[in-house]
Amino acid sequence: MPDFDLLTLLQQFTVETDRYVDAVSSTHRLHRTDLSALAFMVQAARADQTVTPGRLGEALNLSSPATTALMDRLDRAGHLTRHRSAEDRRQIQLDMTEHARQVGRRLFSPLARHLSQALDGYSDAERELAGRFITDMIAATIAAREDIPEPG
């Protein structure tokens, strides 16, 4: 398969996952930004990293007021808690609630189930190669984002 076809397929996969997230957010009246915030918090928890309002805003490319509005929405919905750091009382840390985890599992379990079923048809070696490919594509996308020319 030529490189162009692989990149086209990768783009199509991205479009379809975006459509899934749009359908989930629309059906369950969640802002897409809310889902992105929760996804970021899940990734941070997996990496044992602390989430602060600043890190969250930076990850989602939000201004400070927009980050505050996002945190307020997630707090009201019972999806996150805020607490002061034990090491630096000036720092606010954010944690997902068990309610958010349950909602996330319910909303994304159909996608996870179907993706897992699709993966079942591949050998360990094929999965390893696919993992390497996707990892390299993520790194290339990050590098390209950092290389976007300034306007004008």
Side-chain angles (χ1 to χ4, degrees):
M1 181 178 289
D3 289 343
F4 178 73
D5 291 338
L6 282 175
L7 296 178
T8 300
L9 290 171
L10 189 59
Q11 181 184 29
Q12 188 176 358
F13 175 73
T14 301
V15 168
E16 291 305 326
T17 55
D18 282 348
R19 286 180 179 164
Y20 185 89
V21 171
D22 287 342
V24 164
S25 65
S26 167
T27 302
H28 294 277
R29 296 186 183 128
L30 292 166
H31 292 265
R32 185 180 179 95
T33 306
D34 297 358
L35 293 173
S36 296
L38 294 173
F40 174 75
M41 292 179 72
V42 166
Q43 290 173 352
R46 285 183 182 149
D48 199 30
Q49 296 174 340
T50 301
V51 178
T52 63
R55 281 195 68 216
L56 181 62
E58 183 180 316
L60 300 179
N61 199 26
L62 297 175
S63 67
S64 184
T67 302
T68 299
L70 166 66
M71 292 185 313
D72 289 346
R73 274 195 318 270
L74 292 173
D75 192 10
R76 279 191 308 272
H79 293 310
L80 73 73
T81 58
R82 302 178 236 205
H83 59 90
R84 297 214 177 264
S85 166
E87 293 82 36
D88 182 351
R89 301 285 299 152
R90 295 170 296 173
Q91 185 183 62
I92 301 294
Q93 295 179 346
L94 308 174
D95 290 308
M96 282 181 61
T97 64
E98 184 55 34
H99 170 70
R101 288 180 186 84
Q102 289 172 359
V103 168
R105 279 191 292 272
R106 191 174 78 246
L107 298 180
F108 288 94
S109 63
L111 178 61
R113 183 178 67 251
H114 286 276
L115 292 175
S116 291
Q117 289 170 351
L119 282 171
D120 286 344
Y122 294 89
S123 69
D124 289 344
E126 289 170 322
R127 287 180 190 206
E128 186 176 328
L129 179 60
R132 196 175 96 224
F133 170 74
I134 291 171
T135 299
D136 289 347
M137 294 301 102
I138 292 168
T141 303
I142 291 168
R145 184 181 69 226
E146 293 170 355
D147 202 25
I148 295 172
E150 294 295 321

